[in-house]
Amino acid sequence: MKIIVCENYDEMSLKGAEIVKEQVNSKPDCILGLATGSTPVGLYACLSEMNKKGDVDFSKVTSFNLDEYYPISPENDQSYRYFMNENLFSKINIDIEKTHVPNGMAEDPEKACKEYDESILAAGGIDLQILGIGQNGHIAFNEPDDELYEGTHLTGLTESTIKANSRFFEKEEDVPTKAVTMGIGSIMRAKKIIILANGPAKLDIVTKLINGGITTNIPASILKVHPDVTMICTRDAYPEN
Ligand code: PGA
């Protein structure tokens, strides 16, 4: 795993956005894997700026988001579909029909998950996957457990994730307790991955990730066997400061 340590959040965001820009410029019809959460907001703002200036064109890009709460409607301002529309899709020239977020309202989630995986495969697989990392080491909503799932699936959220995400909600009880998430397989099949870690809240997990082995207790640790992963973190999230 390559590691880039940045001085601050803005530098991390720009670095990440530059990698996305290079990807799209070298393959205009590429498939991007996108993440939500507070960390990539700055990266998305940089991409919006670059798009406005004409430095990158998203018109042929297809995107697949990692996850979505369940159950939640796309109009709900806490949904990840809403987040993506607000933070990125409405600000760049991507064709909204080519953007995919798991369906948080699926009547048959198992079928919807299977179809989500099939659409990723049919599109040719993810060229560049953007990831955040949970304080417990989760990637997407693949939470620490005895086993990790290969495909997209419905999962329960851990206490730690519910607590961490409660900052976006009025109260902790409002945080959905389930989510639909891409599995480890779709993430690991991405040709290239960038994982962002910002701020002291991520120092402990980044330290464990860098110094420890591969374990399902830290789902992000599986990334260590992927051939093209770059971690972009801020200095205060990096152990050797
Ligand atoms: P955050 O979430 O970007 O809001 O810290 C990251 C994650 O949970 O994957």
Side-chain angles (χ1 to χ4, degrees):
M1 186 185 298
K2 189 175 153 198
I3 300 176
I4 300 174
V5 182
C6 298
E7 287 316 311
N8 53 44
Y9 180 74
D10 289 349
E11 193 183 315
M12 181 201 75
S13 302
L14 184 59
K15 191 81 219 160
E18 276 166 356
I19 294 173
V20 179
K21 180 178 82 171
E22 278 161 30
Q23 171 66 58
V24 177
N25 285 344
S26 69
K27 186 178 175 194
D29 61 347
C30 68
I31 314 297
L32 296 180
L34 301 176
T36 52
S38 54
T39 311
V41 170
L43 184 159
Y44 293 151
C46 292
L47 288 180
S48 307
E49 272 306 301
M50 290 169 175
N51 186 230
K52 212 186 297 164
K53 282 202 246 152
D55 293 341
V56 59
D57 174 12
F58 291 94
S59 60
K60 295 194 176 76
V61 167
T62 297
S63 72
F64 288 91
N65 262 78
L66 286 170
D67 45 20
E68 178 61 283
Y69 288 122
Y70 187 88
I72 202 162
S73 96
E75 288 81 35
N76 187 318
D77 61 8
Q78 297 290 357
S79 75
Y80 286 166
R81 164 51 80 178
Y82 190 95
F83 173 101
M84 290 309 301
N85 289 349
E86 284 293 298
N87 286 286
L88 187 65
F89 300 152
S90 64
K91 303 208 160 81
I92 60 173
N93 69 333
I94 198 164
D95 174 358
I96 199 78
E97 296 296 322
K98 292 198 181 112
T99 68
H100 304 85
V101 179
N103 182 359
M105 295 289 279
E107 273 176 34
D108 183 346
E110 206 175 308
K111 182 164 168 268
C113 288
K114 198 164 164 277
E115 287 168 359
Y116 200 70
D117 285 337
E118 284 165 1
S119 348
I120 297 173
L121 286 177
I126 293 164
D127 291 296
L128 172 63
Q129 176 67 57
I130 300 168
L131 293 177
I133 182 167
Q135 290 174 35
N136 62 2
H138 72 204
I139 43 176
F141 279 128
N142 294 282
E143 300 279 29
D145 209 336
D146 293 341
E147 281 185 357
L148 298 174
Y149 285 80
E150 202 261 327
T152 301
H153 59 284
L154 184 65
T155 186
L157 305 185
T158 60
E159 275 308 308
S160 149
T161 298
I162 291 171
K163 207 173 248 329
N165 288 10
S166 66
R167 68 191 192 278
F168 302 115
F169 292 79
E170 236 170 69
K171 43 190 192 316
E172 199 171 311
E173 298 78 69
D174 294 343
V175 184
T177 55
K178 287 185 186 166
V180 178
T181 181
M182 260 189 214
I184 292 294
S186 310
I187 296 171
M188 287 296 282
R189 276 191 291 274
K191 295 176 188 81
K192 186 182 181 73
I193 297 175
I194 55 175
I195 178 162
L196 309 175
N198 170 54
K202 300 292 166 70
L203 175 62
D204 182 51
I205 192 64
V206 171
T207 306
K208 286 183 182 144
L209 179 63
I210 291 174
N211 298 331
I214 296 164
T215 164
T216 58
N217 291 324
I218 301 179
S221 64
I222 195 165
L223 298 173
K224 292 174 121 176
V225 299
H226 188 285
D228 190 353
V229 178
T230 304
M231 168 174 274
I232 312 173
C233 60
T234 53
R235 190 161 297 285
D236 53 6
Y238 185 69
E240 284 172 12
N241 54 3

